[in-house]
Amino acid sequence: MPSVSKAQIQAQDDAVYQAIIGEEKRQKEGLELIASENYVSPAILEALGSVFTNKYSEGYPGKRYYGGQTFTDQVEALAIERAKKIFGADHVNVQPLSGAPANVAAYFAVLEPGDTVLGMDLSHGGHLTHGHPVTYIAKLYNFIRYKTTAEGLIDYEEIERMAREHKPKLILVGYSAYSREIDYERIKKIADEVGALTMADIAHIAGLIAAGEMNNPVPIFDLVTTTTHKTLRGPRGGMIMCKAHLAKAVDKSVFPGFQGGPHENNIAAKAIAFGEVMTDDYKKYAQQIRKNAKVMEEELRNLGFKLMFGGTDNHLLLIDVTSKGATGKEAEWALDEAGITVNKNMIPDDPRSPMDPSGIRIGTPAMTTRGMKEDEMRQVSKWINEAILGKDDPTTLERIKNEVKEMCERFPVPGIE
Ligand code: DSN
């Protein structure tokens, strides 16, 4: 696999060069299980380092505030057209710098201060930007938070009851740690009954939706936001899709309402990523992500782990590790020592704190990009169990780290030699 040249950085700035080399080694020798991370193609890395980074282009294709926009217009229009085709969207804005800005710009497009929004509680799989009290938007809007049922599924009846009681202006679905399918038709019906708009944040599962592996809210919902760097396997960035009637409001909200000049190098990379998403290879990749997650579900359950939401329909698993005698923080640390990167995560109604919760979240997108399949998932599940049980035994953690490194050598990371 071709690597992306760093010759200029090496010649000019050794401190930065060493940091990049260190990160390449970490990515190459370790197993990446953070559900929101992935590896982009060498073409996407090149686009990120292209001369588009030099250009200011406030506005939109054909309607910019500065001159010199022939090629920024070309590349942005291409990204928009590809995204519209992939998701069946009426309108797409590819300028949001990431997922949180995309969500805030979507709120600004349709809400007035004080408006009520119904969104999922963070510990049940929601996201900070879905109204967690630590965020500024929670001071601006009246967020009411719903939860999953005791069985760990989205509680549609409760959402219906809360929607009737609170009459929200917006009902929000789409999650960061929830592992099950979402019934968008049912949410739309509830929203229509109470006169609410609908918004889905598909940041985690956009790639699975694009490949037809999960339900697509875009033809049904008013607003759909996503990042482009998770299962979509594009550059770090965001995107808003919406119905035609909200197109102007969304564009005005992103610029000039919220952001300044878009990052056209990033938008060029998004266009390349969308081109990749349209291929048969990508469809196979998305299918394998889910197969791999299912194998890990089965293995980890057999190893005695308690899986939140009863398992997975997508790319991730939220796991309670306390039954293995560890906290989420301890498990994250032990796995790090063993060359396996995960993130500690709250579980529904977690009695512990966000910095030392009861769970970890794992995902298969990055491992699947390296070409790992069912056999490797079985092995990784065993290592997870051994590392957590052996958290106080440096010899066990070192042994797993060496085994992880050995396996990783057989599965190259795109863009790294
Ligand atoms: N930080 C992302 C994640 O890991 O899910 C969401 O913002």
Side-chain angles (χ1 to χ4, degrees):
M1 210 164 298
S3 66
V4 175
S5 171
K6 293 169 289 296
Q8 298 297 326
I9 306 174
Q10 185 175 18
Q12 183 175 323
D13 195 323
D14 189 58
V16 173
Y17 178 73
Q18 292 306 331
I20 294 173
I21 293 296
E23 177 61 13
E24 282 191 349
K25 186 167 151 48
R26 189 194 70 81
Q27 291 192 14
K28 212 165 74 171
E29 294 182 357
L31 271 173
E32 185 53 73
L33 268 70
I34 292 180
S36 50
E37 294 190 14
N38 214 329
Y39 307 106
V40 298
S41 66
I44 290 172
L45 286 175
E46 280 182 2
L48 286 170
S50 72
V51 290
F52 277 123
T53 199
N54 298 336
K55 188 73 193 113
Y56 257 121
S57 50
E58 285 96 332
Y60 293 99
K63 290 170 286 182
R64 307 278 191 185
Y65 286 83
Y66 298 178
Q69 306 292 348
T70 308
F71 303 105
T72 49
D73 278 7
Q74 260 176 31
V75 86
E76 189 167 336
L78 194 61
I80 291 168
E81 280 318 305
R82 288 180 180 173
K84 281 169 80 171
K85 199 165 167 195
I86 291 168
F87 291 97
D90 288 354
H91 181 75
V92 175
N93 186 309
V94 292
Q95 294 191 2
L97 301 176
S98 205
N103 283 348
V104 174
Y107 298 146
F108 284 176
V110 296
L111 299 175
E112 294 299 327
D115 277 347
T116 297
V117 182
L118 203 50
M120 175 82 97
D121 188 271
L122 181 69
S123 77
H124 287 247
H127 188 255
L128 281 171
T129 57
H130 297 179
H132 193 279
V134 298
T135 62
Y136 283 110
I137 42 156
K139 299 186 205 324
L140 200 54
Y141 306 120
N142 175 34
F143 280 94
I144 311 277
R145 286 182 299 281
Y146 57 89
K147 296 182 171 186
T148 50
T149 62
E151 293 73 41
L153 298 175
I154 296 174
D155 195 340
Y156 294 98
E157 279 171 25
E158 179 65 357
I159 295 176
E160 189 167 27
R161 191 198 62 71
M162 290 173 86
R164 285 179 182 150
E165 182 187 339
H166 298 286
K167 299 269 182 296
K169 175 94 173 276
L170 183 69
I171 301 182
L172 177 56
V173 299
Y175 315 109
S176 290
Y178 184 69
S179 50
R180 293 302 195 181
E181 183 55 280
I182 302 167
D183 186 346
Y184 301 103
E185 299 276 4
R186 188 151 179 202
I187 296 289
K188 174 71 175 145
K189 212 163 144 234
I190 296 169
D192 285 348
E193 186 199 311
V194 299
L197 291 166
T198 43
M199 173 170 156
D201 175 348
I202 60 166
H204 265 262
I205 54 174
L208 300 176
I209 292 170
E213 286 292 303
M214 294 193 80
N215 294 339
N216 183 5
V218 177
I220 307 168
F221 270 35
D222 296 296
L223 288 158
V224 177
T225 58
T226 186
T227 51
T228 47
H229 51 269
K230 297 187 175 91
T231 48
L232 264 182
R233 209 163 61 177
R236 196 155 284 281
M239 175 163 90
I240 304 176
M241 295 171 271
C242 66
K243 291 287 178 204
H245 71 104
L246 292 174
K248 271 201 179 125
V250 164
D251 283 355
K252 269 176 72 179
S253 175
V254 173
F255 175 83
F258 186 48
Q259 292 186 176
H263 297 181
E264 293 292 345
N265 57 326
N266 188 284
I267 289 172
K270 285 176 186 172
I272 295 174
F274 299 152
E276 292 175 3
V277 166
M278 290 163 144
T279 62
D280 284 343
D281 275 356
Y282 184 86
K283 283 196 176 57
K284 286 184 203 131
Y285 163 65
Q287 284 162 6
Q288 192 65 45
I289 289 177
R290 289 186 68 211
K291 280 188 204 162
N292 284 352
K294 268 290 167 206
V295 170
M296 291 195 79
E297 170 190 324
E298 202 181 303
E299 287 293 313
L300 290 167
R301 187 182 286 119
N302 290 342
L303 288 164
F305 282 96
K306 187 171 170 199
L307 308 178
M308 301 295 102
F309 316 122
T312 185
D313 296 323
N314 58 24
H315 62 301
L316 70 82
L317 285 157
L318 183 61
I319 306 164
D320 181 351
V321 290
T322 54
S323 65
K324 295 279 178 178
T327 67
K329 184 179 169 185
E330 287 168 344
E332 179 190 289
W333 177 86
L335 287 163
D336 234 342
E337 290 295 297
I340 301 173
T341 314
V342 305
N343 66 280
K344 56 185 170 295
N345 212 101
M346 300 279 272
I347 60 169
D349 294 325
D350 203 322
R352 303 185 60 83
S353 68
M355 286 311 283
D356 193 6
S358 301
I360 58 170
R361 186 187 63 165
I362 65 172
T364 56
M367 290 189 292
T368 309
T369 292
R370 292 179 87 156
M372 295 178 190
K373 295 201 168 138
E374 286 85 342
D375 283 350
E376 287 75 35
M377 296 306 113
R378 288 188 196 97
Q379 181 56 60
V380 174
S381 303
K382 285 192 190 86
W383 282 329
I384 289 175
N385 188 44
E386 285 171 8
I388 293 175
L389 292 176
K391 68 179 169 39
D392 300 319
D393 175 13
T395 316
T396 298
L397 300 179
E398 187 61 26
R399 191 246 317 146
I400 299 171
K401 189 175 186 160
N402 289 332
E403 290 172 4
V404 164
K405 193 175 158 201
E406 207 173 295
M407 185 177 96
C408 284
E409 275 164 14
R410 291 190 280 123
F411 297 94
V413 173
I416 306 178
E417 244 169 24

